[in-house]
Amino acid sequence: QLSTPAVITNYFLKTHGGTHIVQCLLSLLASVLGVACLMLPAFPSSAAVGATAAASATTVNPKSLGRKILLSSIKYQLMQQTLLLAMVKHASGLLGVVSLGASRIPQLGIRNARRHLELVAMDPVGQYLFYCSLLVVWIGWFGGNSGGGMGDYVSKLRGGVISIMNASAAATATAASSDATTSSGNASEDTAATVAQLLDTLSQQPPPWFLSQPTGGFIIPIIILGPVLLREIVSILWVFSDVLTLAVTSSGGATMAGRFCSRMLSGCRSILDAFMSILITSDQWRNADSFQRQRALAKLVSRCSLVMELAVGAILMGDAVQSFWGFAFVGSAASGGVGRLPFKCVLGKMACAHLYLNFLLSKRKKIAAVVGSVREGGGGAIVNRVLDVMIDPKKEMGLSEDDE
């Protein structure tokens, strides 16, 4: 009998054509970076901060404002890096499928192997590879309201903010060493001047509209990263469950580590059953076998992702229309002297919107199914389900009265 480490090692190295361990690591990194991106603040609005400073008696803290701008620039980078890691993960999955299909050509034949590869490339691996690739290009090459893309925009913004903060710190140190009677009045003037410089830098280099606070800088990153994070987190949890199951099965519960894994697996399954019994009815979930549970969970994740993908399509279309309108009709004089986008960026955003529209058209059958379920009373069923859970959550989770 193989040892537990050997069984787990074989699980990671022999699954998915030998790319399973790479996919798991990339999923974990993408999930960590995605959650960190969602936790960081959005870009502050220069107009809102200026109005707040003018309306209140106290001035805005320049250190807090500068720190928030820097953290917001990190949020911008983490969004693209999350999508990039997810793209590499799905690309490695395709490579694993190609390798596995090539090794089975003698048994299946070339025609059957090709059909299998086409099915995997169409849904969902190939589609989410396209989704992540397109959004990486859209954010990285055509973002930042400048012609240099995301990297150029972030470097310029950080350089301006850091130089302003360093100059402010040097001025504060100089004022502290001067006469104490005149330093208090100069300190408030220096603070106001620093805030004005930071706001001017932010207005001259405005962030993307989908990351600024007035236009949903907190909601839109959730919508963009939602389909990716939802699938990656579910994938990590499923791998964690597989590892615990293999550890318990290979050890037989004879060792202390095996007993600990058995108790952890039992507790995780109880939590999962209670949670899934809320999303799916208790009878359907608890009476289903492992294969039926996987299909039910995949269907739930697919529908939630599809709703967010439709919202992402609306964002890309709105961004393309806004960019074209500003380039064709507004001009640089009416945009606060910032300068309009180069034509290549406008054309690139329109191309991204067109390609994403074709991506959604490839899913028109799934979209029609979701719309049909809503028309047939799906919205009312969701409301009734929420009310049932609020009235009697213990019953809806499938717990008996004697369960603790």
Side-chain angles (χ1 to χ4, degrees):
Q1 184 178 0
L2 294 177
S3 61
T4 300
V7 172
I8 296 177
T9 303
N10 184 74
Y11 166 76
F12 282 108
L13 296 180
K14 300 297 182 180
T15 311
H16 297 174
T19 62
H20 190 43
I21 185 170
V22 178
Q23 294 182 47
C24 293
L25 292 176
L26 291 174
S27 295
L28 184 61
L29 287 175
S31 301
V32 172
L33 293 183
V35 173
C37 171
L38 298 182
M39 293 177 63
L40 291 176
F43 279 100
S45 173
S46 57
V49 174
T52 303
S56 60
T58 59
T59 59
V60 179
N61 188 355
K63 292 184 179 180
S64 176
L65 180 59
R67 189 182 301 112
K68 190 172 184 178
I69 296 175
L70 294 177
L71 290 177
S72 302
S73 65
I74 296 175
K75 182 186 185 76
Y76 193 10
Q77 285 185 313
L78 289 181
M79 182 183 295
Q80 188 194 26
Q81 291 172 0
T82 302
L83 294 169
L84 186 61
L85 287 173
M87 181 189 71
V88 176
K89 182 244 183 177
H90 287 92
S92 65
L94 279 180
L95 291 177
V97 171
V98 170
S99 176
L100 188 62
S103 64
R104 293 184 178 180
I105 287 179
Q107 293 82 13
L108 300 177
I110 297 179
R111 180 177 298 179
N112 293 330
R114 186 185 66 183
R115 290 177 179 176
H116 179 68
L117 290 176
E118 289 176 353
L119 291 175
V120 174
M122 285 297 296
D123 187 32
V125 179
Q127 290 190 348
Y128 273 91
L129 175 61
F130 174 80
Y131 175 86
C132 296
S133 304
L134 182 66
L135 290 181
V136 165
V137 172
W138 177 65
I139 294 176
W141 289 5
F142 309 123
N145 289 340
S146 63
M150 185 270 292
D152 183 62
Y153 167 74
V154 171
S155 62
K156 288 182 179 179
L157 182 62
R158 285 182 179 175
V161 172
I162 291 175
S163 62
I164 292 173
M165 297 306 298
N166 290 336
S168 176
T172 302
T174 303
S177 61
S178 62
D179 189 5
T181 58
T182 60
S183 61
S184 59
N186 294 332
S188 60
E189 295 179 359
D190 293 340
T191 299
T194 303
V195 172
Q197 291 176 0
L198 290 174
L199 294 179
D200 183 67
T201 301
L202 192 61
S203 62
Q204 292 297 324
Q205 299 177 6
W209 64 271
F210 56 87
L211 285 183
S212 58
Q213 287 181 348
T215 52
F218 175 74
I219 301 298
I220 292 180
I222 296 178
I223 295 175
I224 293 176
L225 297 180
V228 174
L229 287 181
L230 187 60
R231 293 178 178 272
E232 300 305 329
I233 291 175
V234 169
S235 175
I236 292 172
L237 294 178
W238 206 270
V239 170
F240 181 70
S241 174
D242 289 343
V243 171
L244 288 180
T245 302
L246 290 174
V248 172
T249 305
S250 60
S251 64
T255 61
M256 181 180 298
R259 290 191 295 269
F260 174 76
C261 291
S262 179
R263 289 193 296 267
M264 182 181 294
L265 181 62
S266 177
C268 292
R269 284 179 175 175
S270 299
I271 296 173
L272 177 63
D273 290 342
F275 180 72
M276 293 303 299
S277 296
I278 295 176
L279 300 178
I280 306 172
T281 58
S282 177
D283 295 336
Q284 292 180 359
W285 178 257
R286 293 182 180 271
N287 296 330
D289 56 17
S290 178
F291 179 72
Q292 292 173 343
R293 289 187 175 188
Q294 289 186 26
R295 293 194 62 179
L297 182 60
K299 184 178 180 180
L300 180 63
V301 171
S302 177
R303 290 195 171 186
C304 295
S305 300
L306 186 59
V307 173
M308 289 184 283
E309 289 166 14
L310 291 174
V312 171
I315 293 172
L316 263 67
M317 292 296 295
D319 184 50
V321 172
Q322 183 193 43
S323 301
F324 178 77
W325 182 268
F327 177 83
F329 301 106
V330 176
S332 59
S335 59
V338 178
R340 58 185 181 181
L341 281 173
F343 178 71
K344 64 176 183 179
C345 292
V346 178
L347 187 62
K349 290 187 177 185
M350 294 176 65
C352 289
H354 176 70
L355 292 174
Y356 194 86
L357 180 61
N358 292 333
F359 168 74
L360 292 180
L361 290 177
S362 67
K363 293 189 171 186
R364 54 184 176 270
K365 292 183 178 180
K366 293 183 178 181
I367 296 174
V370 173
V371 173
S373 64
V374 173
R375 287 181 178 178
E376 293 175 0
I382 294 176
V383 175
N384 293 333
R385 184 64 183 161
V386 172
L387 293 176
D388 291 338
V389 172
M390 294 177 62
I391 293 173
D392 195 351
K394 197 171 185 180
K395 177 182 177 181
E396 297 301 325
M397 286 189 294
L399 302 176
S400 62
E401 296 294 336
D402 297 332
D403 291 336
E404 297 180 354

